[in-house]
Amino acid sequence: MLSGGDWTGGSTDRRVRAEHVELRKRRAQRDGVVASGTIACARCDAPVAIGPGELPLLHPLTCPFCGHHGAAREFLSLAVPTRPTRVQVRVRIRDAG
């Protein structure tokens, strides 16, 4: 005779434990675009060219028009619409080492 119970002789009230198994290793996203903005002087609103490379937010900049200087983050405007000297603001997590 067959029944719906445990045929191995163990207790039928055993609890099943759920478990997460990742079948394929995924690479974590390490950087990405957060926003688009404009690089312009905070004092006179003149555009400031930074070149084609990446620039950290603490990098010193100087306005070519009025001479105001400060960290790049002071020249960054996220106001819409963006104007010439558009930039992409990215978050980058660097590996330790």
Side-chain angles (χ1 to χ4, degrees), residues 35-92:
S36 292
T38 301
I39 294 289
C41 179
R43 186 178 294 162
C44 69
D45 203 35
V48 177
I50 61 170
E54 295 180 349
L55 189 71
L57 288 175
L58 295 177
H59 185 80
L61 290 179
T62 301
C63 175
F65 185 73
C66 73
H68 173 71
H69 61 276
R73 68 176 174 222
E74 294 177 29
F75 290 78
L76 176 64
S77 169
L78 300 177
V80 192
T82 58
R83 302 179 313 273
T85 64
R86 288 177 186 89
V87 293
Q88 290 183 334
V89 180
R90 294 179 179 265
V91 172
R92 175 145 310 149

Side-chain angles (χ1 to χ4, degrees), residues 22 24-32 91-95:
E22 189 158 343
R24 158 174 61 152
K25 189 173 184 176
R26 288 181 276 171
R27 184 178 170 166
Q29 178 96 17
R30 303 298 288 178
D31 59 4
V91 172
R92 175 145 310 149
I93 300 171
R94 301 208 186 262
D95 293 329

